[in-house]
Amino acid sequence: MADELVHYDVVGGTATITLDSPHNRNALSAQLRRELSESLDKARADDAVRVIVLTHTGPVFCAGMDLKEARGAGAGAQGVNEFPKILEQLWTSPKPVVAKLAGPARAGGIGMVAATDIAVAVHEATFAFSEVRIGVIPAVISLTVLPRLNARAAHELFLTGDTFDAKRAVEIGLLNSAVPADALDDEVARYVKALALGGPKALAATKELLSKPRPATPSEGFEAMNKLSAGFFASEEGQEGITAFAQKRKPNWVPEA
């Protein structure tokens, strides 16, 4: 049996999912896709997990689809057919997902970064939508990438396939933060700690809220949003949070340090 290519570990309410296929730059092979999807399902289903961190071994976060497997396969047999499920798992996860990049991402790898809620990379990380340069298109990943990028940058980078650095990735909305390599762990830990302070149900509902289309005017949305807000104020989780605030203590959902 082949060694696993994705590792899963839970410590203190944080599930860390690690891509470990450095021999092919963590390309999205059939085995890696399967194990990554299984790990995401496991983290989403575990009530003890509050935050998910997606990271990697080796110098590259993810090089995109495994081109060796793609070569010679018909449209129905392409591995990209399984990729939307992974992006959907990341995008709709009720637990916040943080991407931790110690190296470059390309193509589908960037699609996964864009599907997470928070993305942090080292200054040295580079990015490229390299699809057009091998005669394919960034179709599937466009659904997670385009909501993040400003339009001018998206046109330029999708069409040219040019490489860009972490500083620009922050400027155009792909990353939240770019830091020196020796600060990566601390920066990710800072985000994880902040995310874990939120109520689990409140975080899940807020993620859903962020993904919904905006009403044409605030007036058209106030009735539905007020009903949603009032329900959370009166909920068991909301009342626990309000009580904890009054009693100057942490709510019961905050993981032990």
Side-chain angles (χ1 to χ4, degrees):
M1 183 174 177
D3 293 337
E4 67 178 16
L5 300 182
V6 178
H7 308 308
Y8 181 84
D9 185 46
V10 179
V11 176
T14 300
T16 300
I17 299 174
T18 305
L19 309 182
D20 185 19
S21 185
H23 70 280
N24 67 352
R25 304 169 74 231
N26 288 318
L28 293 160
S29 63
Q31 182 184 343
L32 188 142
R33 292 193 307 270
R34 181 179 68 254
E35 293 178 9
L36 174 56
S37 182
E38 290 170 353
S39 293
L40 289 168
D41 276 342
K42 190 184 302 185
R44 287 170 54 126
D46 186 350
D47 290 339
V49 171
R50 299 297 320 288
V51 181
I52 302 168
V53 174
L54 179 62
T55 187
H56 64 104
T57 65
V60 176
F61 173 73
C62 178
M65 297 306 299
D66 189 324
L67 298 183
K68 288 183 179 180
E69 292 183 352
R71 187 177 181 183
Q78 289 291 340
V80 72
N81 293 318
E82 300 172 2
F83 196 41
K85 178 183 178 182
I86 291 171
L87 296 181
E88 180 79 4
Q89 287 172 301
L90 292 166
W91 187 272
T92 65
S93 168
K95 290 90 182 283
V97 185
V98 179
K100 178 182 178 182
L101 287 77
R106 296 289 186 269
I110 305 179
M112 293 197 296
V113 172
T116 65
D117 300 290
I118 304 288
V120 181
V122 297
H123 288 313
E124 295 80 7
T126 61
F127 305 84
F129 300 102
S130 50
E131 288 89 345
V132 293
R133 295 197 176 186
I134 61 168
V136 299
I137 66 174
V140 172
I141 68 168
S142 71
L143 298 174
T144 59
V145 172
L146 292 182
R148 307 297 192 202
L149 267 57
N150 71 56
R152 279 293 184 189
H155 278 251
E156 172 197 343
L157 298 170
F158 271 37
L159 291 170
T160 65
D162 280 348
T163 299
F164 56 102
D165 62 17
K167 180 177 182 291
R168 186 159 192 217
V170 172
E171 292 171 350
I172 64 177
L174 179 63
L175 296 178
N176 295 85
S177 179
V179 297
D182 60 4
L184 181 60
D185 289 345
D186 287 345
E187 181 74 343
V188 170
R190 180 177 72 85
Y191 279 116
V192 168
K193 183 177 180 181
L195 291 167
L197 295 176
K201 293 180 181 178
L203 287 169
T206 300
K207 282 199 59 171
E208 185 177 353
L209 179 68
L210 287 166
S211 296
K212 285 183 176 179
R214 307 291 190 272
T217 66
S219 298
E220 293 179 27
F222 280 140
E223 182 178 355
M225 291 300 100
N226 186 67
K227 182 178 180 181
L228 180 63
S229 184
F232 268 87
F233 269 97
S235 70
E236 181 179 346
E237 186 174 281
Q239 287 298 303
E240 162 61 14
I242 293 167
T243 301
F245 179 81
Q247 295 176 350
K248 295 182 172 56
R249 62 172 175 82
K250 293 180 180 180
N252 59 16
W253 60 73
V254 177
E256 294 294 331

